[in-house]
Amino acid sequence: MSGSDAPDGSDVVVDDRAIPDATVARLPLYLRALYELHDQGDETVSSDGLAQAAGVNSAQVRKDLSYLGSHGVRGVGYAVGDLLDHIAAVLGLNRDWRVLLVGVGNLGRALASYGGFRERGFKIAALVDADPGKVGRSVGDHQVEPLEDLDTVVAREDVSIAVLAVPADAAQTVADRLVTAGVTAILNFAPAHLEVPAHITVRKVDLSTELQILAYHERRRHQGRTTTVVDDG
Amino acid sequence: MSGSDAPDGSDVVVDDRAIPDATVARLPLYLRALYELHDQGDETVSSDGLAQAAGVNSAQVRKDLSYLGSHGVRGVGYAVGDLLDHIAAVLGLNRDWRVLLVGVGNLGRALASYGGFRERGFKIAALVDADPGKVGRSVGDHQVEPLEDLDTVVAREDVSIAVLAVPADAAQTVADRLVTAGVTAILNFAPAHLEVPAHITVRKVDLSTELQILAYHERRRHQGRTTTVVDDG
DNA sequence: ATGTGTGAACGTATTCACAGCC
DNA sequence: GGCTGTGAATACGTTCACACAT
């Protein structure tokens, strides 16, 4: 078991539970920074060093790491290797994750061959597409299977995470099928809102949305007197 | 198009200034939902209808829209067409944006041919890559140009937005060059933190990070007694 | 001396709840 | 009656600042 700590002798098992979402979203950044520090031979790092590498505030780093029940050393910093292992464990990265990819259009194929996934322990287990013209094609080291076989594929490959790269108008339908097939986490690249049961985790990556946000800032920057009158007369 | 509005004949100049970031990030969602409603012939929508379509709370919708100084009609709702124009104007989407894409690897090529960009007014103006083997290739309707010509290309195409799809270890260097070339907004797909001057807007899309966040939730869901002890002694 | 861990202060975002208008 | 617009209440996230450990 873990820690002997517990000021008053209560049972503290790996402080699971209750890591704020905002912190969870930053853990991968810390992890990345720690791998870099590790590769360049650093054995310890201060909250400030880690903060700089990750592009955040040092108080943020300390607070975030405190949620992990992590033990830095006062006056010294954090042990890079230990912290790295710890964060990886919290994120569930001490195992491989097999991922189902649905939709092998341009984006889907790019994702299938994206090295960053495998590198971080995410392996594409199978590829599925609704288009009969695409079924049977080889992408990476897999053949595309028909969408109809979704349940079979999910069961066979025992995946719980799916990446959804289908057109917006198909997204909800496919998501429903994924859920009934037993998938519990979806990374959605389709520009559409997904309605899913409460116990399913969805993250969305919306490429156009991001550009639109940039456009907003550009518009404001350069608007000078490019009068942004909506139209009106 | 839309509105005679301005209840009292004042110049409605788009209430610029002071739209919270969180709201700006949701405007594209509303816009998308409004296009759908528009396409299916709806002329008005209530905050609740829009909320459902966008997957948020109706109070959120009203508060967000109130920042735009928008005029809904009590007891009725919002005029779909007008609201759509208004949000598009606020986001600066009443013009086309020419975008420079740096890095034509798998992801870069997928982005270059991603229809969702053009559809929303973002046109790839030029493609650039550091690899001489890729320079000269045709991707979409452009030829890849050498990274050395970055300044020339940025000036020639008059772009202010760049999409960065290069390997992590090249990201900072390329970002620096983009900034000196005059780019003021960067959409970063490289898994690396970018340090840029304060007046530059950066948004990042980190694919692996998203999967890692999903993994965290999966780990917690299924951990049962897969004891998540980090190691300890 | 140095740098963590954390309460307290602050700031931002979301949700409630209702007055006001159609 | 129905639905917006918004102050007030709440929840969440970030930063400060300092006691405490090494």
Side-chain angles (χ1 to χ4, degrees), chain B residues 45-67:
Chain B
V45 64
S46 65
S47 61
D48 196 56
L50 189 47
Q52 303 225 176
V56 304
N57 177 297
S58 71
Q60 182 96 266
V61 169
R62 293 198 298 280
K63 180 78 26 134
D64 283 342
L65 296 184
S66 78
Y67 292 121

Side-chain angles (χ1 to χ4, degrees), chain B residues 127-226:
Chain B
L127 300 158
V128 159
D129 201 292
D131 179 356
K134 283 178 185 146
V135 171
R137 281 199 206 171
S138 280
V139 175
D141 45 3
H142 287 283
Q143 274 189 280
V144 177
E145 302 183 62
L147 183 66
E148 295 94 73
D149 298 356
L150 197 68
D151 299 79
T152 321
V153 174
V154 168
R156 187 189 71 216
E157 302 293 341
D158 190 31
V159 297
S160 63
I161 302 180
V163 172
L164 195 51
V166 303
D169 54 14
Q172 183 63 61
T173 309
V174 175
D176 292 345
R177 299 195 55 178
L178 285 170
V179 172
T180 47
V183 163
T184 46
I186 298 174
L187 182 53
N188 178 30
F189 285 86
H193 167 69
L194 297 184
E195 203 68 54
V196 297
H199 63 286
I200 306 293
T201 317
V202 176
R203 304 270 315 171
K204 65 170 190 292
V205 174
D206 192 328
L207 307 173
S208 301
T209 288
E210 296 299 325
L211 278 185
Q212 289 174 338
I213 295 170
L214 288 180
Y216 168 79
H217 293 287
E218 289 301 294
R219 201 263 300 154
R220 282 180 52 77
R221 190 194 318 284
H222 299 121
Q223 80 185 145
R225 196 89 317 278
T226 313

Side-chain angles (χ1 to χ4, degrees), chain A residues 101-105 107-109 111 129 163-167 187-190:
Chain A
L101 193 142
V102 188
V104 289
L107 187 61
R109 283 197 304 278
L111 295 173
D129 200 292
V163 172
L164 194 52
V166 303
L187 182 52
N188 178 30
F189 285 86

Side-chain angles (χ1 to χ4, degrees), chain A:
Chain A
M1 44 245 46
S2 59
S4 57
D5 29 316
D8 57 322
S10 62
D11 267 350
V12 178
V13 187
V14 157
D15 241 320
D16 219 30
R17 194 49 282 184
I19 298 179
D21 287 351
T23 294
V24 172
R26 278 188 295 269
L27 293 181
L29 305 187
Y30 299 150
L31 196 55
R32 204 160 69 198
L34 287 165
Y35 275 120
E36 274 165 29
L37 293 166
H38 188 77
D39 287 354
Q40 69 190 44
D42 296 16
E43 301 202 331
T44 61
V45 63
S46 65
S47 60
D48 195 56
L50 189 47
Q52 304 224 178
V56 303
N57 178 297
S58 69
Q60 182 95 266
V61 169
R62 292 198 299 278
K63 177 102 350 158
D64 283 341
L65 297 184
S66 79
Y67 292 121
L68 312 189
S70 172
H71 277 229
V73 181
R74 292 176 194 228
V76 179
Y78 302 87
V80 171
D82 288 0
L83 186 53
L84 197 152
D85 290 348
H86 195 143
I87 294 178
V90 169
L91 289 174
L93 304 180
N94 41 9
R95 52 162 283 193
D96 271 2
W97 290 92
R98 298 168 61 68
V99 172
L100 171 66
L101 193 142
V102 188
V104 289
N106 283 319
L107 187 61
R109 283 197 304 278
L111 295 173
S113 40
Y114 179 55
F117 289 155
R118 169 152 319 193
E119 208 175 285
R120 291 179 179 87
F122 297 93
K123 284 169 67 171
I124 304 290
L127 299 157
V128 158
D129 200 292
D131 178 357
K134 285 181 185 143
V135 172
R137 278 199 210 171
S138 280
V139 176
D141 44 3
H142 288 282
Q143 276 190 278
V144 177
E145 303 185 60
L147 184 65
E148 294 94 74
D149 297 356
L150 196 69
D151 299 80
T152 322
V153 174
V154 168
R156 187 190 71 216
E157 301 294 341
D158 190 32
V159 296
S160 63
I161 302 180
V163 172
L164 194 52
V166 303
D169 55 13
Q172 183 63 61
T173 310
V174 175
D176 292 346
R177 299 194 56 179
L178 286 170
V179 171
T180 47
V183 163
T184 46
I186 298 174
L187 182 52
N188 178 30
F189 285 86
H193 169 69
L194 297 184
E195 203 68 55
V196 296
H199 63 284
I200 306 293
T201 315
V202 176
R203 303 273 311 174
K204 65 169 190 294
V205 174
D206 193 327
L207 306 175
S208 300
T209 289
E210 295 299 326
L211 278 185
Q212 289 173 338
I213 296 170
L214 289 181
Y216 168 78
H217 292 287
E218 289 301 295
R219 201 262 303 152
R220 282 179 52 78
R221 190 195 317 285
H222 300 120
Q223 78 184 147
R225 197 88 319 273
T226 313
T227 320
T228 318
V229 173
V230 171
D231 88 4
D232 151 281

